[in-house]
């Protein structure tokens, strides 16, 4: 995938998260693709998306930049939202991180390794974005 096409893909991917529709997010992934968050087990993207979209109904994902890393691409993002889903704290969260994508021959994400500062995320869930 060319650099320009990959940037367009990344922008549309962020927009899919902002749509609030987990199926729109999943459409960027190959059929058997998985995402692993902070070294956790590989999980179907629809399950990860369902959790974040439920817990942060106002979430906004901003595409920050792309970075080539060998045969993978790092999609850097910033996430903002208010934890108002079921059992939520009502606190605002703002975190940045990245997903390390492996893109397949069809131009879809075959594997994603997500990374963000989990301690800062948990602190913000408890105390808000301060």
């Amino acid at each position: 995938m060319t650099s320009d096409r990959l940037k367009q893909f990344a922008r549309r991917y962020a927009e899919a998260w902002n749509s609030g529709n987990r199926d729109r997010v999943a459409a960027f992934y190959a059929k058997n693709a998985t995402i692993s968050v902070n070294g956790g087990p590989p999980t179907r993207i629809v399950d990860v998306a369902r959790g974040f979209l439920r817990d942060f109904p106002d979430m906004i994902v901003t595409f920050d930049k792309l970075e080539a890393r060998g045969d993978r691409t790092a999609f850097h993002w910033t996430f903002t939202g208010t934890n108002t889903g079921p059992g939520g704290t009502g606190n605002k969260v703002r975190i940045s991180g990245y997903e390390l994508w492996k893109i397949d021959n069809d131009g879809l994400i075959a594997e994603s390794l997500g990374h963000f500062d989990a301690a800062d995320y948990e602190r913000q869930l408890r105390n808000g974005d301060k």
Side-chain angles (χ1 to χ4, degrees):
M1 190 180 294
T2 67
S3 176
D4 287 342
R5 287 190 60 200
L6 199 50
K7 285 179 186 174
Q8 291 173 355
F9 180 89
R11 285 186 188 98
R12 290 192 327 269
Y13 179 70
E15 290 168 4
W17 277 101
N18 298 338
S19 75
N21 183 326
R22 70 175 190 222
D23 293 328
R24 281 193 60 197
V25 175
F28 287 82
Y29 285 77
K31 183 178 181 181
N32 295 315
T34 59
I35 184 169
S36 174
V37 179
N38 287 340
T43 306
R44 294 178 334 137
I45 186 59
V46 294
D47 296 331
V48 172
R50 177 185 303 120
F52 278 106
L53 295 170
R54 177 197 61 227
D55 295 346
F56 297 91
D58 66 342
M59 73 181 287
I60 299 293
V61 173
T62 304
F63 161 46
D64 297 334
K65 70 178 182 176
L66 290 177
E67 177 183 24
R69 294 198 185 171
D71 67 342
R72 296 181 182 251
T73 301
F75 166 76
H76 292 262
W77 48 262
T78 298
F79 166 97
T80 56
T82 310
N83 184 225
T84 57
T89 62
N91 289 326
K92 292 183 186 278
V93 171
R94 179 182 172 85
I95 57 170
S96 293
Y98 67 94
E99 290 181 36
L100 193 57
W101 291 338
K102 182 173 184 179
I103 303 292
D104 70 9
N105 292 333
D106 295 323
L108 297 171
I109 302 166
E111 180 184 45
S112 179
L113 305 173
H115 304 273
F116 63 90
D117 184 334
D120 187 37
Y121 173 74
E122 292 297 328
R123 180 193 61 73
Q124 290 184 45
L125 280 178
R126 284 190 312 275
N127 305 319
D129 176 22
K130 297 177 182 171

